[in-house]
């Protein structure tokens, strides 16, 4: 009981200690971490050595997190250096230090990557005072002009499908890199001469535009998609044609009636120039199948594939159907011919028939008045023994089957029972009679004895006369 009373206090002490320990961890100082160089600017594709150092005396770990490829160049008691190779994009590697008894310390470097301009033009222009001579006099004024193409000579990259189905949507994009300054660049997607509503993103010196195009259901033919990038007084364009097409699913049909024993024809068709083929059809007639259907064909799956070739691409569409074969009722092993049950057990008179449409089913007694209910769990009695006619019926026909029900029961022989009962009754009667006679005799003897005693008591007492002396 004392331990139970102390539990709340112990819980509070433990919770307080956890709070204090967590607060102590939060208040732990962090080691100083330096990275050198902190803000390097390097040429694209070159390498750089990043040095991570700390004031922690015995650090357990000094690391550098980056997606760039790195190789350890050297290390010391409180520093490590890595060479980052083939740096082609801006990056911010993280230098971190784990110091015993302190929280982790970290700092980042900011690497900027640049590329020199590839197209430079340096022009020497004489002033208006300059004559047209190919040389310049001393003291004359001249004009030097340097022209830098910030736009690369390569066109933008347009990502678009070659084909577009009428009534569908597709996403297209256009991007161009090596734009400087990228903030001054403009990009625009147009389709069929109409500007598209687009989403523009920037990453480094790359500019990307993304838009969604849609073709109307009735539209066909080629339509031009254009991407335009402009920076300063320079522009770059790229255009591609999209082929808008229609390709409905193939039409797979079957002749009527689809009934057991009848011949049915399956045919498939598609809009030209598409071609069709039914799975399992003969090679010389791939668009049709003819067969006499049976019960086993009910639910059978048939598939037709349409093929369309456009712009060196092969397109496919499929249509499928399941045969719904009609057939009259059939009674088989699910309607057994004989049932043998014990009297008093619970059984079900059940008979299942196949058919399409689903047949109705009943079983009625043939030669007995009392019939066992059909399809209901029932306690068996001997009166249910006999034959039953089971009938299945649907719109295509009727199926009958005579089944037999045998009820087993125990026959009881009453003769020994009656004889035993009579003997027992006679014995009991004899015992009762003897007892009665004996009881009566005892009663008579008791009565006679009592009468004799009473008679003696009534007789006078005789006394002899004595003479006095």
């Amino acid at each position: 009981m004392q331990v139970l009373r102390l539990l709340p206090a112990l819980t509070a002490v433990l919770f307080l200690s956890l709070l204090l320990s967590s607060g102590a961890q939060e208040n732990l100082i962090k080691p100083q971490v330096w990275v050198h160089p902190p803000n390097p600017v390097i040429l694209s594709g070159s390498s750089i050595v990043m040095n991570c150092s700390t004031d922690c005396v015995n650090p357990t770990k000094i690391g550098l997190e980056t997606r760039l490829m790195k190789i350890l160049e050297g290390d010391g008691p409180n520093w490590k250096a890595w060479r980052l190779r083939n740096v082609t994009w801006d990056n911010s590697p993280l230098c971190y230090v784990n110091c015993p008894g302190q929280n982790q310390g970290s700092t980042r470097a900011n690497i900027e990557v640049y590329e020199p301009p590839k197209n430079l033009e340096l022009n020497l222009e004489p002033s208006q005072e300059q004559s047209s001579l190919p040389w310049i006099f001393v003291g004359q004024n001249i004009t030097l002009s340097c022209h830098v193409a910030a736009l690369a000579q390569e066109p933008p990259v347009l990502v678009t499908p070659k084909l577009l189905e009428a009534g569908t949507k597709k996403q297209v994009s256009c991007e161009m890199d090596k734009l400087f300054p990228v903030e001054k660049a403009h990009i625009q997607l147009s389709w069929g001469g109409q500007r598209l509503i687009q989403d523009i993103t920037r990453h480094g010196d790359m500019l990307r535009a993304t838009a969604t195009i849609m073709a109307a259901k009735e539209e066909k033919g080629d339509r031009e998609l254009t991407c335009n990038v402009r920076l300063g007084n320079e522009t770059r364009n790229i255009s591609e044609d999209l082929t808008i097409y229609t390709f409905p699913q193939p039409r797979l049909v079957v002749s009527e009636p689809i009934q057991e024993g009848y011949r049915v024809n399956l045919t498939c068709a598609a809009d030209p120039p598409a071609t069709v083929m039914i799975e399992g059809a003969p090679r010389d007639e791939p668009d049709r199948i003819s067969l006499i259907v049976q019960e086993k064909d009910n639910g059978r799956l048939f598939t037709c594939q349409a093929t369309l070739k456009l712009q060196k691409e092969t397109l496919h569409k499929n249509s499928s159907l399941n045969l719904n074969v009609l057939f009259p009722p059939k009674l088989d092993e699910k309607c057994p011919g004989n049932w043998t049950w014990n009297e008093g057990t619970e059984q079900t008179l059940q008979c299942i028939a196949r058919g399409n449409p689903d047949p109705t089913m009943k079983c009625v007694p043939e030669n007995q008045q009392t019939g066992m209910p059909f399809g209901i769990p029932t306690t068996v009695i001997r009166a249910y023994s006999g034959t039953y006619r089971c009938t299945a019926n649907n719109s295509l026909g009727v199926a009958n089957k005579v089944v037999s029900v045998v009820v087993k029961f125990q026959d009881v022989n009453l003769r020994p029972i009656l004889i035993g009962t009579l003997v027992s009754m006679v014995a009991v009667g004899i015992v009762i009679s003897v007892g009665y006679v004996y009881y009566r005799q005892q009663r008579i003897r008791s009565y006679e004895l009592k009468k004799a005693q009473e008679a003696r008591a009534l007789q006078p007492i005789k006394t002899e006369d004595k003479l006095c002396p």
Side-chain angles (χ1 to χ4, degrees), residues 99-399:
C99 190
Q102 299 183 16
N103 288 332
Q104 186 182 78
S106 63
T107 187
R108 284 188 180 274
N110 294 310
I111 302 176
E112 292 188 14
V113 178
Y114 72 92
E115 288 190 7
K118 294 182 180 179
N119 298 309
L120 292 175
E121 292 183 5
L122 182 63
N123 296 321
L124 176 64
E125 298 180 2
S127 65
Q128 295 181 354
E129 301 175 357
Q130 175 69 26
S131 64
S132 59
L133 297 176
W135 39 270
I136 302 171
F137 291 103
V138 176
Q140 287 184 335
N141 294 328
I142 60 173
T143 302
L144 279 174
S145 62
C146 180
H147 180 73
V148 179
L151 280 178
Q153 295 300 319
E154 297 81 8
V157 177
L158 187 59
V159 180
T160 177
K162 298 293 184 181
L163 303 173
L164 180 63
E165 187 174 5
T168 63
K169 297 179 180 179
K170 289 289 185 179
Q171 190 177 72
V172 296
S173 66
C174 180
E175 64 181 43
M176 189 170 184
D177 61 0
K178 301 177 182 179
L179 296 172
F180 181 80
V182 68
E183 295 82 5
K184 301 294 183 180
H186 300 274
I187 189 170
Q188 181 63 55
L189 282 166
S190 301
W191 195 35
Q194 296 181 350
R195 291 190 173 187
L196 295 174
I197 300 174
Q198 57 191 18
D199 181 28
I200 298 177
T201 57
R202 296 184 179 91
H203 181 71
D205 59 358
M206 186 270 292
L207 189 64
R208 178 186 293 120
T210 305
T212 300
I213 58 175
M214 179 176 179
K217 290 185 177 181
E218 64 279 0
E219 190 173 359
K220 290 184 180 180
D222 293 339
R223 194 170 177 182
E224 187 179 61
L225 180 67
T226 302
C227 176
N228 176 274
V229 178
R230 178 169 53 86
L231 180 59
N233 59 355
E234 295 189 53
T235 60
R236 297 289 185 270
N237 296 306
I238 187 172
S239 298
E240 288 191 19
D241 287 334
L242 274 75
T243 300
I244 302 172
Y245 68 96
T246 57
F247 186 22
Q249 284 186 314
R251 299 173 295 278
L252 181 60
V253 296
V254 59
S255 63
E256 300 286 346
I258 311 173
Q259 187 173 334
E260 185 179 34
Y262 284 73
R263 180 175 293 277
V264 298
N265 298 311
L266 289 93
T267 56
C268 186
D271 294 346
T275 59
V276 297
M277 182 184 67
I278 302 177
E279 184 180 357
R283 292 184 178 181
D284 55 341
E285 290 184 319
D287 61 340
R288 64 189 65 246
I289 288 181
S290 180
L291 73 159
I292 298 176
V293 293
Q294 304 295 331
E295 177 190 347
K296 64 181 181 179
D297 296 315
N298 186 34
R300 183 176 172 183
L301 178 67
F302 288 89
T303 301
C304 176
Q305 183 181 77
T307 303
L308 178 64
K309 293 184 177 181
L310 286 174
Q311 299 288 346
K312 299 182 180 180
E313 292 190 27
T314 303
L315 308 175
H316 299 285
K317 283 196 175 180
N318 295 332
S319 290
S320 300
L321 65 80
N322 292 90
L323 285 185
N324 184 32
V325 180
L326 303 177
F327 60 96
K330 298 181 181 181
L331 297 170
D332 52 14
E333 67 277 359
K334 292 187 178 180
C335 186
N338 296 284
W339 284 282
T340 301
W341 296 320
N342 292 323
E343 185 179 27
T345 62
E346 188 176 86
Q347 305 291 343
T348 302
L349 180 62
Q350 187 71 31
C351 189
I352 300 175
R354 306 189 317 277
N356 188 19
D358 292 334
T360 58
M361 192 76 210
K362 63 179 180 179
C363 292
V364 297
E366 278 199 322
N367 54 10
Q368 69 272 17
Q369 294 182 350
T370 303
M372 187 173 180
F374 178 72
I376 302 174
T378 307
T379 301
V380 178
I381 60 175
R382 65 186 66 183
Y384 292 160
S385 291
T387 57
Y388 293 77
R389 178 170 294 275
C390 294
T391 303
N393 186 11
N394 69 5
S395 59
L396 299 180
V398 179

Side-chain angles (χ1 to χ4, degrees), residues 37-42 48 50 109-113:
N39 300 299
V41 179
I42 63 174
I48 184 174
M50 305 297 297
N110 294 310
I111 302 176
E112 292 188 14
V113 178

